[in-house]
Amino acid sequence: MDTIRLRDKEFSLFITEQEIREAITKMATRIKADIKESNPLFVSVLNGAFMFTAELMRELDGPYELTFARYSSYKGTSTSGEVKEIVPLQTDIRGRMVILLEDIIDTGLTMEFVMKKLLDEGAAEVRVATMLFKPEALKALLKPDYVGFEIPTDFIVGHGLDYDEMGRSYKDIYKLNE
């Protein structure tokens, strides 16, 4: 589909499923080379990262431990600026390398909050893998370790990303028509 409609907004095709798969395969290759024989804990940040996480873990194809956490700072199409922990991490991270799996980083404030929290709780190291990164929107002192795509500041949906909880199930990524 070239365009989709969610509630009161129209979106146009931005990144295809095939482009997403290729980026995830490249990212998995880099991660495997970097972590070698270590035993990192992968933490998928819900809800948006569920599709990215499933595809990345399939590409990593190893004995890695995976868990989930949920944080939120969004209402509608913009960030509230306040990070809320909705589903806390349930796994002991002391002394471990943690790789956070995120769908998108824009301001970076949520990831900065989560990284600091995990380091304060005893993680030996925290890395970030994100499918999408908006460097122009960044407000935090943060540089993701692994990035699928650097994109402009457009609002996007699909492939796990939503607009008021709608649109996550699309296999492609769409950007808001202004």
Side-chain angles (χ1 to χ4, degrees), residues 18 30 39-40 43 52 55 75 91 106 108 112 116 119 127 135 146 155 166 168:
Q18 183 61 37
R30 281 198 52 226
N39 182 28
V43 177
F52 167 59
E55 291 168 2
K75 289 282 186 222
T91 305
D106 44 33
E112 184 179 60
K116 181 182 181 330
L119 289 167
R127 296 183 185 182
Y146 310 99
F155 185 79
M166 292 186 65
R168 291 187 194 279

Side-chain angles (χ1 to χ4, degrees), residues 83-101:
V83 179
K84 294 180 182 170
E85 185 176 41
I86 298 167
V87 176
L89 199 55
Q90 301 293 315
T91 305
D92 185 7
I93 60 169
R94 287 176 294 197
R96 294 197 63 188
M97 174 197 292
V98 176
I99 300 178
L100 292 166
L101 305 178

Side-chain angles (χ1 to χ4, degrees), residues 52-93:
F52 167 59
T53 297
E55 291 168 2
L56 180 66
M57 296 310 289
R58 187 178 307 123
E59 288 293 324
L60 288 171
D61 191 31
Y64 309 114
E65 187 177 353
L66 170 67
T67 191
F68 300 88
R70 185 170 181 198
Y71 307 89
S72 179
S73 65
Y74 262 81
K75 289 282 186 222
T77 62
S78 61
T79 183
S80 67
E82 177 188 342
V83 179
K84 294 180 182 170
E85 185 176 41
I86 298 167
V87 176
L89 199 55
Q90 301 293 315
T91 305
D92 185 7
I93 60 169

Side-chain angles (χ1 to χ4, degrees), residues 36-53:
K36 295 183 180 34
E37 299 300 316
S38 67
N39 182 28
L41 172 65
F42 288 90
V43 177
S44 179
V45 180
L46 298 173
N47 285 340
F50 77 97
M51 287 176 82
F52 167 59
T53 297

Side-chain angles (χ1 to χ4, degrees), residues 1 4 11-14 155-157 170 172-175:
M1 289 181 276
I4 59 170
F11 299 81
S12 296
L13 183 62
F14 182 53
F155 185 79
I156 56 175
V157 298
Y170 288 106
D172 301 309
I173 295 175
Y174 296 82
K175 70 178 180 174

